[in-house]
Amino acid sequence: AKYYASEPDFVTVGPKKYIFLRPYLEDVENVYHMPLRPSDVFVVTYQRSGTTWTQELVWLLANDLDYETAAKIPITERYPFLELFMFFNKEWQQDLLERYEDKDKALDLIEKIAKPVSERLRLAPSPRFIKSHLPMCLLPPKILDTAKVVYVARDPRDVAVSCYHHSKLFKVLDFPSPFKDFWNLFIRNLFTETPFFEHVKEAWELKDHPNMLFLFYEELIKDLPAAIRRVADFLGKEVTPEQMARLCDHLSFENFKKNDSVNYEELREYGVLSAEEKFMRKGKAGGWRSYFDEEMTEQAEKWIEDNLKDTDLRFPTVN
Ligand code: A3P
């Protein structure tokens, strides 16, 4: 499958014309109408914006800093990923079954990652922690009346670079290369879950809702304790100075990179990850500069400026 606008693999959904892989249509209604619970916590982002980092932070604060369980149960299991299945279409499933000697294991993986999760969520005990890259308009319409949402946004230039590398980790992904080609699809809103700016702006418009917390990746980079405090307040949790120090240490990039529970390492044995890459890559803000030539830099500035004209949203820059 292609992960960008190439017929017949993709569909556009809703008035904002979000790009999705066709299998998403199988579950779109179930997701939109999924029953919510007041204890639900969603972490919603455009991909590669710091989702996993925020997921771990939210989960630990909500679960009385239970580091032991966090290490034991991979983040993928602690947080069902609403639309993950759309990346693993029937062809991929067939291929896996043919390639994999241990058929039970292959079926187990298909069950885990290639099946819509709305049914699993219905049966899951409370509190549920849910990951999604869907824009707010495709999540249940009254989501903020019931559940909590933490939305994370990141400078789109860093998002694009990180997405580009992501396809080198997940062997199944087939993103355009070199980076410049990928970038041109991304800004023309032809890549999965774009338009990027619509995604972020939808959430930004809801940022003052008491059940919405809007964070920037750059804010976590710049002052992690302050960001932790914002999340703790949002979840109604207290954090002592000792707990804060330990949490910051746990969430530091160096420790995160070594933490198998948040690096999708449990997928490695299935042969879907490439040996050279890890889920945690650079963990920096502003790294895009070494990927952009002068023409792309100017193009990006104009693209960002044009898209921010009608909003007070601004990405905090980190130098
Ligand atoms: P890079 O590829 O730029 O390194 P997501 O979880 O949404 O897929 O986001 C992944 C991005 O967040 C990657 O960006 C990853 O390195 C970064 N990230 C994850 N944990 C981090 C941490 N503890 N500190 C800094 N960056 C982190």
Side-chain angles (χ1 to χ4, degrees), residues 31-305:
V31 166
Y32 196 71
H33 296 294
M34 78 186 251
L36 297 170
R37 305 174 194 165
S39 56
D40 288 341
V41 184
F42 285 75
V43 174
V44 181
T45 63
Y46 186 86
Q47 56 180 295
R48 304 306 283 171
S49 297
T51 328
T52 320
W53 199 10
T54 309
Q55 283 175 266
E56 181 78 342
L57 162 55
V58 164
W59 193 92
L60 282 168
L61 284 175
N63 288 282
D64 301 323
L65 301 169
D66 182 355
Y67 293 98
E68 216 173 285
T69 308
K72 241 186 334 220
I73 308 179
I75 197 117
T76 45
E77 280 174 41
R78 284 179 276 142
Y79 278 82
F81 178 4
L82 267 188
E83 68 285 0
L84 176 69
F85 74 97
M86 76 178 182
F87 293 97
F88 303 96
N89 63 12
K90 299 271 177 320
E91 264 165 53
W92 177 87
Q93 295 179 29
Q94 200 51 44
D95 182 54
L96 184 85
L97 278 168
E98 278 162 23
R99 263 190 309 114
Y100 219 78
E101 263 173 45
D102 186 341
K103 300 293 174 225
D104 286 345
K105 205 151 216 185
L107 286 170
D108 176 49
L109 184 66
I110 288 171
E111 188 62 40
K112 258 196 205 147
I113 70 175
K115 290 268 152 54
V117 297
S118 35
E119 179 61 12
R120 176 150 53 106
L121 276 173
R122 200 175 61 78
L123 303 170
S126 297
R128 302 182 300 184
F129 297 88
I130 300 165
K131 162 181 169 176
S132 180
H133 294 318
L134 294 178
M136 292 302 292
C137 70
L138 297 177
L139 289 167
K142 298 224 163 130
I143 189 167
L144 293 179
D145 290 353
T146 311
K148 285 190 160 53
V149 174
V150 180
Y151 186 93
V152 192
R154 184 182 188 186
D155 186 309
R157 294 164 289 197
D158 282 330
V159 167
V161 170
S162 186
C163 278
Y164 176 70
H165 279 280
H166 203 44
S167 72
K168 306 201 181 323
L169 171 69
F170 278 89
K171 291 185 196 162
V172 59
L173 301 180
D174 171 24
F175 297 174
S177 198
F179 176 69
K180 202 168 187 165
D181 292 353
F182 176 79
W183 170 249
N184 276 312
L185 280 181
F186 184 76
I187 57 168
R188 279 157 56 224
N189 301 330
L190 295 173
F191 181 62
T192 42
E193 288 142 18
T194 60
F196 172 84
F197 272 107
E198 294 300 337
H199 200 294
V200 180
K201 281 195 271 190
E202 274 196 52
W204 181 251
E205 273 165 32
L206 297 166
K207 71 177 190 321
D208 297 325
H209 192 290
N211 275 341
M212 164 69 103
L213 179 67
F214 189 105
L215 296 169
F216 288 103
Y217 174 86
E218 292 78 6
E219 179 183 342
L220 272 78
I221 289 275
K222 218 189 252 175
D223 190 345
L224 187 56
I228 292 175
R229 242 170 268 121
R230 285 192 69 200
V231 178
D233 288 348
F234 180 66
L235 298 174
K237 300 285 177 182
E238 301 278 329
V239 184
T240 66
E242 296 73 36
Q243 289 171 333
M244 178 65 87
R246 177 158 184 206
L247 190 51
C248 284
D249 189 49
H250 178 84
L251 295 171
S252 73
F253 187 71
E254 295 65 42
N255 284 336
F256 230 54
K257 197 163 181 150
K258 287 188 286 203
N259 182 346
D260 283 354
S261 184
V262 297
N263 269 276
Y264 290 64
E265 284 298 310
E266 69 281 5
L267 298 183
R268 203 169 280 286
E269 62 171 313
Y270 294 99
V272 291
L273 302 186
S274 110
E276 301 89 60
E277 298 269 339
K278 271 204 135 185
F279 193 90
M280 301 302 154
R281 193 186 57 92
K282 275 268 178 308
K284 292 258 169 340
W288 61 268
R289 287 188 180 82
S290 42
Y291 287 79
F292 283 59
D293 59 25
E294 213 173 298
E295 183 198 348
M296 289 162 80
T297 305
E298 278 173 25
Q299 183 192 33
E301 266 167 29
K302 178 156 188 341
W303 176 65
I304 294 171
E305 200 184 296

